[in-house]
Amino acid sequence: HGLQPFFETLRDRLVSFFDKNNMTHKPKLVAVTGCHASSGVTTVVAGLAASLSNSGDGHVLVVDMKSEGGAAQHFFRGKQQIGLLDVLDESRRGEAQVQENLYVVSEQDLNGSLPKILHKRFVGIIPKLKLSNYDYIIFDLPPMSQTSIAPRVARFMDMMLIVAEAE
């Protein structure tokens, strides 16, 4: 991939940030959002997740929180997806594996849309995520706006990345 050096640099800076700030807890929660729908957020999420998982730094979980199917589309290419709560069950974890050390889930309902009470549901899921054995959990969020969930879930994250513009 032509952007691989960028993703590796982003990975290194992210890992350095966590090391510098003595953030040794696991999992580290990273959210990526953008200024508009075509800013390249999903590309950044997919590249960063692949780079983290290839470096051998542990298990990486990508959570697709876009209603149009963001990061999950990069990895699954039509394969059946399981939900976030499903992957926290160790017996179903393998269903989300797309390559060694990399797992992808979708936070969509059967109709392909995000739950209407996602923020409240997210608050209940955070303690379960913190008990999981993933090293990084990366959230592919919809663009920032006054009605977006991105600003509301930002307070739960260890790092929030905002993609300004593609290319």
Side-chain angles (χ1 to χ4, degrees):
H1 195 281
L3 295 173
Q4 192 60 34
F6 170 77
F7 299 136
E8 291 171 1
T9 301
L10 184 58
R11 175 204 63 212
D12 293 344
R13 289 185 178 181
L14 190 67
V15 170
S16 294
F17 171 81
F18 289 136
D19 287 344
K20 178 184 172 216
N21 290 295
N22 205 23
M23 298 174 78
T24 58
H25 66 279
K26 292 182 182 182
K28 292 169 185 67
L29 306 179
V30 178
V32 184
T33 187
C35 295
H36 52 83
S38 59
S39 62
V41 170
T42 299
T43 301
V44 171
V45 168
L48 177 60
S51 182
L52 282 166
S53 68
N54 288 336
S55 69
D57 282 344
H59 298 291
V60 179
L61 173 65
V62 173
V63 181
D64 177 8
M65 296 183 76
K66 290 183 171 181
S67 59
E68 71 273 5
Q73 295 299 325
H74 271 266
F75 293 106
F76 280 101
R77 294 186 181 96
K79 182 179 172 187
Q80 180 67 31
Q81 302 169 28
I82 66 171
L84 181 56
L85 289 176
D86 297 327
V87 80
L88 295 176
D89 175 5
E90 287 294 318
S91 66
R92 296 199 62 196
R93 182 179 186 165
E95 295 177 51
Q97 188 169 10
V98 294
Q99 68 183 43
E100 187 177 357
N101 297 328
L102 181 58
Y103 304 83
V104 179
V105 296
S106 178
E107 186 54 20
Q108 300 172 7
D109 63 18
L110 296 175
N111 299 324
S113 60
L114 293 172
K116 297 200 183 323
I117 56 165
L118 182 62
H119 181 258
K120 289 182 182 180
R121 178 178 163 152
F122 194 77
V123 171
I125 291 174
I126 287 293
K128 293 176 185 175
L129 290 176
K130 292 190 182 229
L131 294 174
S132 71
N133 62 354
Y134 294 100
D135 296 284
Y136 297 93
I137 301 177
I138 303 174
F139 296 88
D140 184 0
L141 296 176
M144 295 287 281
S145 72
Q146 292 177 342
T147 59
S148 171
I149 61 161
R152 293 183 297 217
V153 300
R155 68 185 175 125
F156 299 107
M157 299 296 134
D158 296 310
M159 171 65 70
M160 181 87 161
L161 303 173
I162 300 174
V163 180
E165 187 174 17
E167 299 179 21

